[in-house]
Amino acid sequence: MAGITDKVFRQICKSYGADVLVTEFVSAEGVFRRNQRTREYVDFDEIERPVGVQLFGADANHMAEAAKQVIDWIAPDFIDLNFGCPVNKVVAKNGGAALLRDCPTLSSVAKKVVAAVAPLPVTGKIRIGWDADSINAVRVAGILQECGISALAVHGRTRAQGYSGEANWRIIGEVADAVAIPVIGNGDLFSPADVARRRAETKIAGVMIGRAAMSAPWIFQQIKHYLATNELLPAPQLVERWNIIIEHCRRHSETRGDKEQAIRSMRARLMAYSKSFPEGKTLREKFQHVSTVAEVEAIADYHLTRTGWAQTAPALEIVNP
Ligand SMILES: Cc1cc2nc3c(=O)[nH]c(=O)nc-3n(C[C@H](O)[C@H](O)[C@H](O)COP(=O)(O)O)c2cc1C
């Protein structure tokens, strides 16, 4: 997720059981430039494997060349092609979800990238269609399978929906029935029970969790536990949740030259984390003003004292599970 799944956050998700990670998307042109920003977007640590780099773009030759360069550069485990991004800036250049309306170009991008990076797997991410009148996920999935795409994630919304309305899991199910490649269902999975239900209703091979992880990165562990035992693992205690936040802030600021800017850029992330916290509204007001790790730690101390959790807890260890 652009602006969200940087390597610190991905590693937090991994430590809670996420099986496969994907970088924030980068354009083929960004890869050619290889500036500092692109470098940060695609940077990952060995501990994250299996990890994919997601590319977007509409020029098949550029995409194939960019995919090859990414492999020479950082050797991810797979390349993921974005055919789902709804953002104007991206679709205006025929990238992301725009290719759902242009199947010949979509097919050409997929074919050329697959041929360019073989035998490395290439996966795809689609929405169910451009708008309600042009839902074509089953057709697109068939085309991508023909092109040699190894697995397909389907977000059950149209481009026109953005993030509104509900994900259409009926269409995701139809895609899973129609193709032989693994289909990964995505959209509105906010609890282990949501995942269990969708797995029972469809033939999906896996699930992709987006927004829920932003406020509860431990959801991966809860899902796995629920699927294995039918029991709901409680969310980590407040102390552990604060440890996640502080570790995230610390590591994020370590990766940036301007430490204050680094923490300011974390404010939206802190807001997302606070959704799962008691007294979240008060926290959100405080988070609007933070610019140092020390300020975040002070808020944590205050909050833990107020909520009766003031005790020391071991630092969060981000490890490969
Ligand atoms: C802030 C944000 C950034 C996103 N960036 C990407 C992206 O770069 N690539 C992608 O394939 N999907 C991206 N998505 C879409 C998610 O991967 C996912 O398809 C969508 O949020 C629905 O899943 P969810 O209900 O679990 O959040 C993004 C979503 C959000 C909210």
Side-chain angles (χ1 to χ4, degrees), residues 22 52-56 78-82 121-125 151:
V22 184
V53 167
Q54 191 184 64
L55 292 177
F56 73 95
F78 62 100
I79 295 288
D80 187 50
L81 300 177
N82 182 311
V122 180
T123 58
K125 168 93 183 299

Side-chain angles (χ1 to χ4, degrees), residues 1-5 22-26 54 56 80-87 125-127 153-157 162-163 167 185-190 208-214:
M1 289 190 286
I4 308 292
T5 55
V22 184
T23 62
E24 299 174 76
F25 71 173
V26 282
Q54 191 184 64
F56 73 95
D80 187 50
L81 300 177
N82 182 311
F83 300 125
C85 180
V87 173
K125 168 93 183 299
I126 63 171
R127 285 186 175 234
V154 185
H155 175 194
R157 286 188 175 81
Y163 293 91
N186 168 242
D188 301 346
L189 298 173
F190 291 108
M208 176 179 284
I209 308 289
R211 291 165 298 171
M214 291 167 62

